[in-house]
Amino acid sequence: MHFHFDLTGRTALVTGASSGLGANFARALAAAGATVVVAARRVDRLAALVEEIAAAGGKAHAVAMDVADERSIREGFAEAEAAVGPINVFVANAGVASESMTLEQPVSEVDAVLSVNLRGVVLSVQEAARRMVAAGSADKEDGRIIIIGSITADRIFPGAAVYAATKAAVRHLGRSVAREWARKGINVNVIQPGYFRSEMTAAMMDSPIGEKLVASFPRRRLRDMTDLNAPLLWLASDASAGITGTVVTVDDGQSL
């Protein structure tokens, strides 16, 4: 697959970048020419990613950020701007998984999923938008916010009720704030990935349950997470100037 979107001059921040989809997004953005700030709680793992991006000729900087903590979000954005300048691309990717059946799910797990997957997205896109406006996005029309959702917002999977509810919520959040910020020069879009092999899903996909799940997909396979890179780069680039409030599903037909 060959595609190219030039992100030279853009500065992106990706949450949940210490592994999986977030690390993949950071590599793709840097390869397209963006200066990338990688954010996560596990800062030790971010150092290796920054080195990897730099070795490939990209520009990256790491900051600590826990999206469940409002102060951590603000401090992370402040550190990012001090290091690389205003952020004009924000990828709200941080999330936690949940595989408990609802009757057995403890409140502590419910709270953890809600605090990261919903509250954390609300707070982080708020902070990103505030800073984009302060940097003149209304005139430059260069603000890009991309929320990473999930096909569980549309398709029912056992053991994912609360997780899926957060993904349905952030899909609607994305469309709602896209309307609110339409005249502020900020485009807000949602990418809904299907199941890809990653650190978060590997154990489940290698289990009998995972094998049965893959067999239920129309194409009976798992694609690589790099399938997400083309829509991500498109939505981060000037090519998507007229695209806001859109939900893009990338799942190889899994939700059909």
Side-chain angles (χ1 to χ4, degrees):
M1 182 183 295
H2 298 282
F3 52 85
H4 180 70
F5 293 99
D6 186 2
L7 299 184
T8 302
R10 286 198 166 272
T11 306
L13 190 152
V14 182
T15 63
S18 60
S19 64
L21 297 183
N24 171 68
F25 294 150
R27 295 183 189 102
L29 290 162
T35 297
V36 181
V37 177
V38 290
R41 292 173 296 177
R42 297 176 290 184
V43 289
D44 55 321
R45 298 188 62 172
L46 293 176
L49 179 59
V50 168
E51 290 178 5
E52 178 188 341
I53 290 172
K59 299 176 182 178
H61 179 80
V63 299
M65 186 183 296
D66 179 357
V67 299
D69 183 334
E70 183 181 20
R71 180 176 178 179
S72 177
I73 292 170
R74 290 179 175 174
E75 290 178 348
F77 268 93
E79 181 182 339
E81 288 197 348
V84 302
I87 302 298
N88 50 38
V89 176
F90 175 59
V91 183
N93 169 76
V96 294
S98 170
E99 296 176 9
S100 298
M101 297 301 286
T102 310
L103 278 177
E104 289 79 41
Q105 192 165 33
V107 67
S108 58
E109 186 175 302
V110 172
D111 288 345
V113 174
L114 291 173
S115 67
V116 175
N117 293 8
L118 178 53
R119 184 174 179 272
V121 173
V122 173
L123 296 179
S124 59
V125 299
Q126 270 185 333
E127 187 66 17
R130 287 178 183 135
R131 290 177 178 271
M132 288 176 184
V133 170
S137 63
D139 293 326
K140 293 185 284 187
E141 297 188 351
D142 63 346
R144 300 288 187 272
I145 293 177
I146 303 162
I147 297 172
I148 306 303
S150 165
I151 61 166
T152 59
D154 296 308
R155 179 174 170 178
I156 304 303
F157 294 95
V162 175
Y163 174 86
T166 65
K167 295 304 183 177
V170 298
R171 176 180 62 188
H172 197 71
L173 171 73
R175 288 177 50 77
S176 297
V177 295
R179 179 66 181 85
E180 286 188 23
W181 302 338
R183 296 183 184 177
K184 298 184 184 299
I186 301 171
N187 289 0
V188 186
N189 294 289
V190 179
I191 294 177
Q192 292 192 157
Y195 280 92
F196 294 91
R197 181 168 293 279
S198 69
E199 181 179 293
M200 183 183 287
T201 65
M204 192 269 282
M205 288 304 176
D206 290 336
S207 72
I209 293 175
E211 292 173 358
K212 184 177 180 180
L213 177 64
V214 173
S216 76
F217 296 153
R219 289 178 168 165
R220 299 180 181 179
R221 67 184 186 187
L222 281 183
R223 293 276 299 172
D224 191 83
M225 69 178 75
T226 54
D227 279 3
L228 297 162
N229 293 350
L232 177 88
L233 298 179
W234 169 54
L235 293 174
S237 74
D238 292 340
S240 64
I243 310 297
T244 193
T246 294
V247 179
V248 181
T249 297
V250 185
D251 69 351
D252 197 33
Q254 293 169 11
S255 55
L256 296 176

